[in-house]
Amino acid sequence: MNDADAQMIARRVREELARRRLSRQALADMARVSISTLEKALSGRRAFTLATVIRLEQALGVPLQKIPAASPADPLVASPDNLGAYSQNAVRWLEGRYLTLRPSFGTPGDIFAYVTIIQWDAEQGCLVFSEAERLDSSFSQSGKVSLPHLSGHIYLVTNVEGQYRLAVLGRPTIQGALYGILTTLMVGHGSQLIPAAAPFVMLRLKAETEIAFGRIEANHPDYVRYRAELDLVTSDGFAHFPK
C-alpha cells in the first residue's frame, strides 16, 4: 500500500470517527485491533496492513480502499446508491443467520422468534435477507439491506408492489447483536390492516446452539432471556418510543 492510499484510508477513518462521535478505542475494540496499531496507522507512523484495513471496513461498514471499476461482464461489486453504495467486502461481517425476536401483535406479552438470513446476492449486487422458522410461514418476509453512510444504521426493506415493511437497526454490538424497530402492518378490526411498530432484535446464531422458535409464552424456559433482549432496545437507547 503506497503512502497516498494510506493517507486516504486514515482520512476516511478520521472522518467516520468524527461523524459518528466514536472514540478510537471504541473503533479498535469493534475492529479487534490494538489501540496502539490504530493510533500509529492513523498518524502515519506505521503502514496499514491489508488485514487491519479489512477489519476497519467491517467495523465501520464502509469501504476504505479504492474499488476497481467493474466491466459490464463482471458481477456487481457495490450496491446501488439508494442502498448505500456499499462494497461486498465491506459488509461481509453482516452476513449470517440470526435469531430474530419481536413482540406478538396478536397476544400481548408473547414473543415471536424466528430466523433471519442475510447474504450477498451477486445478481442484484447487494445484501438480501429472508426469513425462516416462522410460525406464520405464509407471512415470511424477504427483501434488500440498506446501509447508508449518513445514518450509520442498517435497514431491512421489503417492498411488495409498493407496500413496505421496514426494520431499522443500529450497528452491531461487540457480540454481533442488532437492536432496533420494526414497522409493519397488522390485522385490525375484521380484515383491516393497521400500521404497527415494535422493538426488534437480531442475535447472531451459532451452529451448535439449540434455539427455540415460534410463539414464546411467559411459561417457556427461554421467555425471560428473550424478553430481556427485547427490553434492551429501549433501556440501552437503541430506539425510542415516545409516550
Side-chain angles (χ1 to χ4, degrees), residues 11 43 88 98 131 136 168 187 197 204 234:
R11 183 175 66 253
S43 66
Q88 181 179 5
Y98 295 83
E131 296 175 349
D136 51 349
V168 183
V187 177
R204 187 174 288 277
T234 51

Side-chain angles (χ1 to χ4, degrees), residues 4 31 50 69 72 80-81 97 101 133 137 141 155 176 204 220 229:
L50 180 59
D81 289 347
R97 299 174 73 250
L101 307 173
E133 302 288 349
S137 58
Q141 303 287 320
Y155 300 79
R204 187 174 288 277
H220 192 283
E229 292 289 351

